[in-house]
Amino acid sequence: MTAASVPHKIRLGTRGSALATTQSGLVARALEEVAAAQGNALEVELVEISTRGDVDPTPLAELGGVGVFAAVLRHALLAGECDLAVHSFKDLPTAPVPGLVIAAVPPREDPRDALCTVGGAESGPRLADLPRGARVGTGSPRRAAQLLAARPDLEVVAIRGNVPTRLARVVGTVGGDGPMGASREPDLDGVVLALSGLRRLGLESYASEVLKAVPQGAGTERVSPAGASGTAAPVMVPAASQGALAVETRADLAETDPVLAGALAALDDPAAHAAARAERALMRRLEAGCAAPVGAIATPVGDGEALRLDAVVAALDGRTLLRRDATASVVEPEDLGIAVAEALLADGAAELVDLHATKEKPVHEAPRKNPAEPDGEPAAAASQEAAAAADATAGEPATASATTGRARAPRDAHALEDVRVLLPRTKPDDRMAAGLEAAGARVDRVDVTRTVPGPAGPRERAAADLAAGEYAWLVLASPRTLENIDVTGVPESTRLAIIGPGTAHVVTKALGRRPDIVAAGSSAALLELDPMSTGPEPGATGAARRILLPGSKLAGLTLVDGLTAAGWEVDVVSAYTMEEVAPEALPGGFAAEWADGAYDVVVLTAGSSTRALLNLAGPVPERTRVVTIGTPTAVAAREAGIDVDVIAKAPTPPGVRSAVIEALAP
């Protein structure tokens, strides 16, 4: 064995959150790849390090801000417990630490913020579409102030927690159990999150709107965005260095570990590094604390020789924004940041807000003049309208909030009392059924299909080829696939692409490794991710071009066609199919009850089970309302001649429960 082939082992310290380990995993793989290109075998081990910010439920700003996540990692570096640490660059305090350096900034993910609402990218309301008084969550005073600048009528709610936990406050359930999943009763109409975090976790489909980072015609004067009309363009200048990762190590690395130092130098993206330096220099000159409502974004200009920096300082109530921008040579990013900061200070930024703030000031305590709804209607009138709506809907399945003037689905345990629901499937720990039952419904779970393994020969050959390293990628779309084809022999050289966080959780437990790509819930989402969308490397041959795609025989061709069009060679293997159960396998009397209209609602979860239900029990009775968990199932139902009453806005227990309530509404 040559010296170059002996793995050089490196320890990379990381927080234990799903986002942190995902980001650290991306950097680890990138370092191994660039080291290999340099002729060195590098093996990067992730070392999980707990921080106070991870275990203390106190609001983040009250713990002293984002620095609580970095401090323990930096201590571990200095103590020699790890060789590297990966930070979200925006989470790093701007003051340097003696003995440590930022050795690399990988290519930056999209730095913009995203609004996440029920329905997500497919049908979720945008910021302008939210009803008056909508509750929008964020843990950032910067985001809160800019939200109120665009929509002064919003109720901004302070939140914290990892990305799935925050999303769950809007959609109810995100993914499955474990770090990629979260489940709770929704209490918000939307949350604002970093688009980069959503993308790295494969959760981008939850974003209903990506907010502009720079306003049109950004100027240097004081701006009062609400104006006479009470509306403004939804602009959200990101946090300094948002979307960028910082790889930190000890300052003497070049002498102590030249192999790692060389790999870090190759990993560094000069453009991303320069942008981050400009944005952080502005924050240092402003002496801005982690809870100051300050945003900054630097972007290359022209051929990349120049850098433009846009920045904002916002009053906490959103009524006044100070904007400044400037352009300078890319080789002088710190000077650019200082110049823009000086201009903001000259405009009165220090008098507008407490720039040194490190503890969040509740937005609702900020003084507001003449509070009004977006159309100029006095708030009192809106409250009267809400009260009238509440009176008008008394006793109906929906109730109105007197503080927001809008209808809400009931949250109590009696919303579906005396309602009988058919769910044509059985599965262990069925949260969809449990959510309906918690609302008072009687849920009958009836299997109308069964899983049948595909032909043994193709499954066995695919498993053998996979174990032999014949594929660049293994793509999995359903946990059921793992039950019908042996992929436990997948080598480290074969990368994993997974559709859906729930499937990703199952795959991680089964294979003992994290996926390389997780798409949020659909084949189309996977096709949008690199390198699925860009195809194999130019000139790649053999295994480097091949993808193994085991799954249902009934799966559509969208994914296969998309991968093939990108240049991949796709081996499709029917791991299983779904077949109707025999009529005698149905519960006694079920078909007769179905035909008599015994069910108030049927919830359809798949095209195969929809067709099986019709074949086994007959057409949907006139009195039975039909709910589908998504658009693909609705399409299959309509093709089978079924009138669909409601398509759930999210395929989650709360989403389905709300759809059932809506289907029963007069």
Side-chain angles (χ1 to χ4, degrees), residues 302-379:
D303 57 3
E305 295 295 320
L307 200 64
R308 169 176 166 155
L309 177 62
D310 287 88
V312 65
V313 176
L316 288 174
D317 64 359
R319 293 186 63 83
T320 302
L321 306 182
L322 302 180
R323 300 193 193 276
R324 280 280 180 167
D325 65 84
T327 302
S329 169
V330 73
V331 300
E332 301 170 341
E334 284 86 3
D335 291 345
L336 175 60
I338 292 170
V340 175
E342 295 281 6
L344 287 168
L345 290 170
D347 290 341
E351 291 74 38
L352 182 64
V353 295
D354 178 11
L355 290 173
H356 309 301
T358 58
K359 291 187 177 182
E360 181 177 342
K361 295 181 179 179
V363 176
H364 65 266
E365 292 182 3
R368 303 287 301 278
K369 295 181 180 180
N370 301 322
E373 302 299 335
D375 59 1
E377 177 186 359

Side-chain angles (χ1 to χ4, degrees), residues 14 136 181 398:
T14 179
V136 178

Side-chain angles (χ1 to χ4, degrees), residues 576-598:
Y576 66 93
T577 190
M578 304 303 296
E579 295 183 354
E580 289 180 19
V581 300
E584 56 268 22
L586 295 174
F590 164 71
E593 283 195 294
W594 168 260
D596 289 341

Side-chain angles (χ1 to χ4, degrees), residues 468-487:
E470 294 295 322
Y471 295 101
W473 287 89
L474 170 64
V475 177
L476 297 171
S478 168
R480 189 176 281 116
T481 302
L482 297 178
E483 302 169 3
N484 293 282
I485 186 170
D486 182 10
V487 298

